[in-house]
Amino acid sequence: GAGVSQSPSNKVTEKGKDVELRCDPISGHTALYWYRQSLGQGLEFLIYFQGNSAPDKSGLPSDRFSAERTGGSVSTLTIQRTQQEDSAVYLCASSFQETQYFGPGTRLLVL
Amino acid sequence: AQSVSQHNHHVILSEAASLELGCNYSYGGTVNLFWYVQYPGQHLQLLLKYFSGDPLVKGIKGFEAEFIKSKFSFNLRKPSVQWSDTAEYFCAVKDRRGSGGGADGLTFGKGTHLIIQP
């Protein structure tokens, strides 16, 4: 079956612009996670959704980052007023029976 | 907070050599343990996982890992590597308590870049 999909695959933006990243989880997976993968920091947990609610937002690096999930399916991660340090690969994963399955990621470059 | 250490950042082996990648975690409570692999140009894929039971778990492509609770370790092994095993390997841990403070997500090690020379 289809895996986790993310769009866009690549995004180049200018410092100060807002960006929106999308994640389509595997059908039927109720839990959804966002991570960030960067050279200096490795893989970092950002936020977790169970259904449409986000009980754990503790990994979001600043208040410029927000995420939502609607209909228990698609999720969007929004970064406002992007900074160069936001450049990274943003990964989404959905979970079934405590196992997370990852999408291909969105590579974000902030100029 | 939970932390995960992968001791070898870069490993270079010849084909048919045996492989062991180290992974240690800090949390002493109940955890779920994972190894993920990222082949060049591809996304993270699950190699194997341990939740409970037999501490020796077998995964895909001939990989196995052993959970040693007393050492907080979950080392990855393969008896004979192939050129196609060239990839980045990540150990990850999840605190089974969950419930906020980052505990709901996976905590990853920094990864081991494995290169297999033909």
Side-chain angles (χ1 to χ4, degrees):
Chain A
V4 177
S5 62
Q6 293 186 245
S7 61
S9 53
N10 291 281
K11 176 72 177 178
V12 180
T13 190
E14 294 178 348
K15 179 181 170 181
K17 300 280 190 185
D18 298 351
V19 295
E20 194 171 275
L21 313 179
R22 177 187 168 107
C23 171
D24 278 278
I26 295 171
S27 178
H29 287 193
T30 57
L32 185 147
Y33 302 78
W34 284 96
Y35 294 84
R36 180 168 70 174
Q37 186 175 24
S38 57
L39 278 177
Q41 300 298 321
L43 276 149
E44 305 170 273
F45 166 75
L46 298 179
I47 188 169
Y48 152 67
F49 286 92
Q50 181 60 46
N52 290 336
S53 66
D56 192 350
K57 304 179 183 179
S58 60
L60 294 177
S62 76
D63 58 8
R64 296 185 296 104
F65 287 71
S66 63
E68 65 175 17
R69 189 180 186 195
T70 55
S73 181
V74 171
S75 176
T76 54
L77 177 70
T78 301
I79 310 173
Q80 295 178 307
R81 305 180 304 280
T82 52
Q83 304 293 313
Q84 288 180 332
E85 62 262 28
D86 300 334
S87 296
V89 177
Y90 289 82
L91 297 173
C92 175
S94 66
S95 175
F96 177 69
Q97 294 184 343
E98 297 294 323
T99 300
Q100 295 181 31
Y101 300 90
F102 284 82
T106 293
R107 186 175 298 275
L108 174 66
L109 178 61
V110 182
L111 299 177
Chain B
Q2 178 75 263
S3 66
V4 178
S5 296
Q6 291 183 240
H7 314 298
N8 310 101
H9 298 298
H10 298 276
V11 174
I12 301 174
L13 295 172
S14 298
E15 277 193 314
S18 64
L19 170 71
E20 180 160 1
L21 300 182
C23 172
N24 286 89
Y25 62 94
S26 60
Y27 177 62
T30 306
V31 293
N32 292 341
L33 297 158
F34 305 84
W35 276 97
Y36 284 87
V37 60
Q38 191 167 28
Y39 297 104
Q42 297 186 28
H43 60 280
L44 277 169
Q45 300 173 36
L46 180 69
L47 262 184
L48 48 76
K49 60 187 178 183
Y50 173 80
F51 290 174
S52 64
D54 187 344
L56 185 62
V57 292
K58 295 191 183 301
I60 61 172
K61 304 187 179 185
F63 285 91
E64 63 179 32
E66 184 176 13
F67 169 54
I68 303 179
K69 188 174 181 180
S70 61
K71 295 184 178 180
F72 301 98
S73 71
F74 190 56
N75 292 355
L76 181 70
R77 300 196 292 249
K78 185 171 184 178
S80 176
V81 294
Q82 301 172 307
W83 177 79
S84 57
D85 293 324
T86 294
E88 189 92 17
Y89 291 80
F90 295 92
C91 180
V93 176
K94 186 173 184 308
D95 181 347
R96 286 172 65 176
R97 293 175 306 174
S99 302
D104 293 289
L106 293 172
T107 300
F108 284 88
K110 295 291 188 186
T112 296
H113 187 200
L114 175 66
I115 296 173
I116 307 300
Q117 296 177 327

